[in-house]
Amino acid sequence: MNIIVVGLNHKTAPVEIREKLSFQPDLLEEAHKRLLKTPGVTEGMILSTCNRVEVYSCINDIESGIMEVKGFLSAFHGLPLERFEEHLFVCSAEDALRHLFRVAASLDSMVVGEPQILGQLKDAYQTSCKNKAAGVILNKLLHRAFSTAKRVRTETKIASSAVSISYAAVELAKKIFGSLEGKVVMLVGAGEMCELAAKHFINSGIKDIYVTNRTFERAEKLAEEFKGTPVNFNEFQHTLHKVDIVLSSTGATHYIIKPADVTEALKARKQKPMFFIDIAVPRDIDPKVNDIDNVYLYDIDDMQGVIEANVKGRSKEAEKAEEIIAEELMVFIHWLKTLDLTPTIVGIKERGEDIRRKELEKALAHLNGLSPEQIKVLESLTSAIVNKLIHHPVVALKTHAKGHYRDMYLEVARNMFDLADKEKEEPEEALEE
Amino acid sequence: MFFYITLFLYLAATSGYISYLITLKKPISLISTSILIASFILHAAVITLRYPELGHPPFIGVETLSFLAWAIVGIYLLVEWRYKVYVLGSIVSPIAFILLLLTVIIPEGEIHVPSYLRSVWFPLHVGFAFLGNAIFSLACAAGIMYLIQERQVKRHYLGGIYKRLPSLEVLDEINEMCLFIGFPLMTFGITTGFIWSNAVWGTFWNLSPRAVFSIITWFLYATLLAGRLSVGWRGRRAAVLAITGFSIMIATYFVINIIWGGHAFK
């Protein structure tokens, strides 16, 4: 049994590629089903956020599994593999596990320590569960990853010192506008990230906030929350001239703000500068907008540049976090190794022998004056019972260990014979928060 | 004596502002400002004390450079007080230092003050024109910074330069303010020039290269002002025009005034 990750993220691929390979939320169900049908894939999970598209799978053979998963990505998006293969990263076995742990702990994030990724990972895991794509291994792995993330968050200062995109956006706006007092912000779309950024802007003294969303009710609700004004999504472009800063994160598959909209707005506002932040993937704002005078457009990758300029002196905390991950990784790898046929059978046999010996000793303590022959008879009697009892489970295990449900059988057997690790998990709790 | 102390203080202010630019430490900027204010006051004393010695306002020959430096520093101090852009000081104080140094380096020569320069209109004309120049020099400096900063923000390259330069809005505001104050001063300077010309030669229009270029510059700033007020020319365009205008002014000053010998009156 092997675990692999095939995917791309903000480190390996530019936003142009990421947006082509991202999975729309309504297609995730279908995607998980098709992933499971991919030859050699026994379990799978797709993590698709604005910074990463990563496919985690349990496979029988690493080499062929990687090719199959790549093929799945290409087929699902109808994009030839040559177009994006150079941007893919692949890791397997321990590296794949470490990658997942680092992602969960937000060490791999664009903004190291930002809390959102954990929630996104939990969502991905739940989708995978709902579609029965997560099995024994992914269940165990994800729970381990969640508890690792929790440890990292509580035991290091990574999270508390997170320099968020929102913070960076506000700083950048200040370099363009000087003071933010009296400025007007517009939220296009209602992503979590956008709302967070909006809160930062409100705290920096902006005057007004417009909110637009495809569903007007949602816009109204958000506007109420921010004490702003809802705007109809179909004609929000006509309000642009009143706005200094635009935060966009819709799920639109094409550009919704085009150069012509911006030029028109600028004319109406006498060329007063405008700042656009596009955190959507695929992008909402035509990159050509940045070529217009007095207009500054930053997409999610550009924001990364801003953040990198800000982030320093957190390497110590990151080191601590890496240590935690290494520890947790060892525990999981240990478990994964036990999930092999031979140690399981050995375990079952040892278990039987253990019980037999203990019970026999107890019995012999009550029976005084038995001859060595009688003791021998008792020995072989108990041995025969134990062996007969475990014979069938072991044979069944050996048969099924060749099939699709191998890991499940092994895990069940380990549980039934109480071979599972002594240390108990707290999976439900990890998921809940 | 005062002169050399002033010169030294400008040098000290220069190194102060530059080390602020490198370290970005607040106390350094405060110290630099204090030094610059001290040198500004001392410089005023130097100019005033020299007046009786020269027997004419400091508007002839190399003395003009000294006056120009003093005016630039004075206006900069106002801008700094209003906008807190200490970075501009690292351009202004070395300029002041160099201008003042030039007055020592360039040979003074015998200056015969011709009678036509004794008109009351002459100091008014030159005084206004120079204040205008001083203000436009700041607009030019702000314009250069604007272009650099704009490039950083536009190209998404936010390194050390980006961190040190003020916000685009502030730089554009300085440009605007300089235009609003500098343009009337320049207009006064040119108008009084006409009146002076009329008083001395009996004609308003004296076709010297200096006058021609001044009119060209005036039109350039007039266009910028009109564009700003009507259709909102700002940012890059305003910065480029401010830099162009000042470059023409500098070229006029050095090439025509010094090399060709003033207005080249016949």
Side-chain angles (χ1 to χ4, degrees):
Chain A
M1 179 48 45
N2 282 297
I3 295 168
I4 56 165
V5 196
V6 177
L8 34 78
N9 57 34
H10 55 98
K11 289 181 180 160
T12 69
V15 63
E16 293 84 4
I17 301 288
R18 296 202 310 269
E19 63 192 6
K20 287 207 178 81
L21 286 182
S22 76
F23 289 83
Q24 298 303 312
D26 49 332
L27 289 179
L28 271 175
E29 200 163 308
E30 170 68 18
H32 274 98
K33 281 180 186 148
R34 277 176 60 181
L35 176 62
L36 260 197
K37 281 187 196 140
T38 308
V41 174
T42 54
E43 296 181 34
M45 182 186 77
I46 299 167
L47 174 65
S48 178
T49 73
C50 49
N51 285 331
R52 59 183 80 240
V53 177
E54 296 177 352
V55 180
Y56 293 84
S57 359
C58 298
I59 42 138
N60 295 326
D61 176 60
I62 292 184
E63 294 278 305
S64 66
I66 289 170
M67 280 325 294
E68 291 292 349
V69 173
K70 281 184 180 174
F72 157 78
L73 276 174
S74 157
F76 193 87
H77 294 288
L79 204 66
L81 188 56
E82 314 88 78
R83 291 276 300 281
F84 63 91
E85 194 171 11
E86 55 169 323
H87 297 291
L88 286 180
F89 73 91
V90 172
C91 41
S92 57
E94 200 178 317
D95 292 337
L97 304 175
R98 182 176 295 110
H99 178 75
L100 176 68
F101 282 24
R102 296 189 76 246
V103 168
S106 191
L107 285 179
D108 196 58
S109 298
M110 179 186 275
V111 182
V112 172
E114 58 94 9
Q116 272 181 53
I117 183 63
L118 190 58
Q120 289 163 334
L121 194 61
K122 282 177 180 172
D123 289 345
Y125 172 59
Q126 258 157 14
T127 314
S128 170
C129 286
K130 252 184 231 154
N131 294 287
K132 305 206 166 56
V136 178
I137 293 189
L138 281 189
N139 280 333
K140 188 88 169 183
L141 176 60
L142 266 299
H143 287 140
R144 195 89 230 170
F146 296 149
S147 58
T148 306
K150 197 177 165 190
R151 268 194 72 191
V152 169
R153 205 172 47 201
T154 50
E155 291 173 30
T156 75
K157 289 186 194 123
I158 285 273
S160 63
S161 63
V163 181
S164 67
I165 287 199
S166 335
Y167 174 77
V170 170
E171 286 303 297
L172 199 51
K174 280 185 184 158
K175 273 289 183 184
I176 295 171
F177 298 109
S179 151
L180 294 186
E181 239 142 85
K183 295 292 182 274
V184 179
V185 172
M186 182 188 256
L187 285 190
V188 182
E192 207 177 312
M193 196 74 218
C194 248
E195 287 172 38
L196 202 71
K199 278 179 199 145
H200 267 87
F201 274 109
I202 289 169
N203 289 337
S204 313
I206 57 150
K207 189 179 83 184
D208 205 357
I209 189 160
Y210 290 97
V211 184
T212 184
N213 197 51
R214 210 170 281 278
T215 50
F216 191 67
E217 289 74 33
R218 179 98 176 96
E220 273 179 322
K221 217 182 119 228
L222 265 183
E224 200 181 317
E225 193 181 316
F226 294 136
K227 299 194 178 64
T229 321
V231 176
N232 196 326
F233 190 75
N234 296 324
E235 44 182 37
F236 81 88
Q237 286 89 346
H238 302 303
T239 320
L240 278 181
H241 67 274
K242 295 184 190 161
V243 177
D244 304 289
I245 300 157
V246 177
L247 283 161
S248 193
S249 74
T250 75
T253 46
H254 57 272
Y255 299 139
I256 54 169
I257 297 178
K258 299 192 184 70
D261 303 323
V262 179
T263 333
E264 202 176 307
L266 272 183
K267 215 179 268 169
R269 52 192 272 113
K270 279 198 173 182
Q271 305 293 322
K272 274 201 280 178
M274 293 179 84
F275 178 28
F276 291 86
I277 306 155
D278 184 359
I279 32 193
V281 175
R283 286 172 293 180
D284 286 341
I285 305 174
D286 192 331
K288 287 197 198 87
V289 164
N290 195 42
D291 299 337
I292 302 170
D293 242 3
N294 295 317
V295 176
Y296 308 95
L297 166 65
Y298 278 69
D299 67 26
I300 190 113
D301 276 9
D302 303 327
M303 291 310 293
Q304 179 178 23
V306 181
I307 292 154
E308 269 170 9
N310 281 338
V311 178
K312 254 174 204 164
R314 283 193 291 155
S315 45
K316 263 213 179 115
E317 292 304 308
E319 247 168 58
K320 236 195 268 175
E322 299 284 1
E323 273 166 32
I324 294 175
I325 285 178
E327 269 172 42
E328 296 286 329
L329 198 58
M330 263 172 47
V331 177
F332 181 79
I333 289 172
H334 173 72
W335 172 82
L336 197 62
K337 276 192 184 142
T338 64
L339 209 57
D340 251 348
L341 188 59
T342 322
T344 307
I345 291 173
V346 170
I348 292 173
K349 285 186 173 158
E350 276 174 3
R351 189 101 196 129
E353 180 62 18
D354 200 32
I355 294 169
R356 188 190 70 82
R357 195 167 294 280
K358 270 185 193 146
E359 293 305 317
L360 188 64
E361 262 166 34
K362 257 193 244 166
L364 285 179
H366 292 291
L367 301 166
N368 288 326
L370 287 182
S371 67
E373 285 77 21
Q374 286 168 318
I375 292 177
K376 221 174 194 173
V377 172
L378 276 183
E379 286 264 2
S380 56
L381 166 73
T382 50
S383 287
I385 293 173
V386 167
N387 284 340
K388 288 247 158 81
L389 207 56
I390 63 175
H391 173 71
H392 203 69
V394 166
V395 170
L397 212 49
K398 279 181 177 165
T399 321
H400 285 289
K402 288 169 193 141
H404 191 77
Y405 296 107
R406 171 187 182 275
D407 303 318
M408 199 185 78
Y409 271 94
L410 285 170
E411 177 71 358
V412 168
R414 298 188 71 85
N415 279 325
M416 287 179 70
F417 287 94
D418 199 18
L419 303 180
D421 280 344
K422 288 287 161 286
E423 176 208 14
K424 288 282 171 239
E425 300 290 324
E426 62 274 46
E428 300 318 317
E429 184 216 354
L431 248 185
E432 227 101 288
E433 351 157 11
Chain B
M1 184 59 199
F2 276 167
F3 176 85
Y4 288 103
I5 297 176
T6 312
L7 196 61
F8 172 76
L9 283 180
Y10 278 137
L11 188 63
T14 303
S15 47
Y17 278 109
I18 287 176
S19 48
Y20 169 71
L21 195 63
I22 296 164
T23 59
L24 291 179
K25 292 232 166 68
K26 194 89 190 157
I28 299 183
S29 72
L30 294 178
I31 293 170
S32 315
T33 305
S34 320
I35 298 176
L36 196 62
I37 291 174
S39 37
F40 175 71
I41 295 169
L42 212 57
H43 195 169
V46 169
I47 292 173
T48 323
L49 289 176
R50 255 182 96 80
Y51 194 5
E53 195 185 317
L54 284 171
H56 59 81
F59 300 147
I60 303 164
V62 290
E63 284 302 309
T64 54
L65 294 176
S66 167
F67 179 74
L68 188 63
W70 179 77
I72 290 176
V73 169
I75 288 155
Y76 164 71
L77 285 171
L78 287 177
V79 169
E80 188 194 276
W81 170 69
R82 168 80 177 73
Y83 295 103
K84 312 273 174 266
V85 280
Y86 303 102
V87 189
L88 213 51
S90 60
I91 297 183
V92 167
S93 40
I95 286 179
F97 172 73
I98 291 167
L99 286 177
L100 208 56
L101 195 64
L102 283 178
T103 63
V104 193
I105 294 170
I106 298 176
E108 181 75 31
E110 280 291 298
I111 287 192
H112 300 286
V113 182
S115 63
Y116 59 79
L117 293 184
R118 301 214 180 267
S119 159
V120 275
W121 292 107
F122 174 69
L124 280 178
H125 161 59
V126 182
F128 278 125
F130 269 30
L131 279 180
N133 286 3
I135 286 180
F136 286 133
S137 74
L138 275 188
C140 171
I144 293 170
M145 284 191 174
Y146 184 95
L147 290 186
I148 297 172
Q149 183 71 311
E150 209 259 356
R151 205 181 146 87
Q152 309 286 312
V153 176
K154 198 84 166 178
R155 298 275 174 92
H156 309 142
Y157 182 77
L158 310 178
I161 300 176
Y162 161 83
K163 235 195 304 185
R164 285 169 173 78
L165 291 183
S167 72
L168 292 174
E169 183 92 346
V170 162
L171 290 171
D172 193 50
E173 248 178 65
I174 293 175
N175 197 326
E176 183 176 44
M177 187 210 69
C178 289
L179 185 66
F180 285 173
I181 301 175
F183 187 73
L185 286 175
M186 190 188 190
T187 312
F188 271 126
I190 290 178
T191 319
T192 46
F194 284 142
I195 297 173
W196 168 52
S197 160
N198 190 41
V200 177
W201 290 283
T203 166
F204 282 104
W205 186 240
N206 206 320
L207 200 66
S208 68
R210 179 88 172 93
V212 172
F213 275 102
S214 297
I215 299 292
I216 291 175
T217 327
W218 184 86
F219 269 109
L220 190 119
Y221 283 114
T223 318
L224 176 57
L225 187 65
R228 210 180 237 289
L229 291 175
S230 63
V231 284
W233 281 6
R234 53 163 65 237
R236 250 166 57 83
R237 196 191 297 246
V240 168
L241 283 177
I243 296 168
T244 316
F246 188 68
S247 309
I248 297 177
M249 242 150 54
I250 288 287
T252 315
Y253 182 85
F254 277 102
V255 176
I256 299 171
N257 239 26
I258 297 208
I259 299 177
W260 287 0
H263 272 269
F265 303 113
K266 304 217 170 78

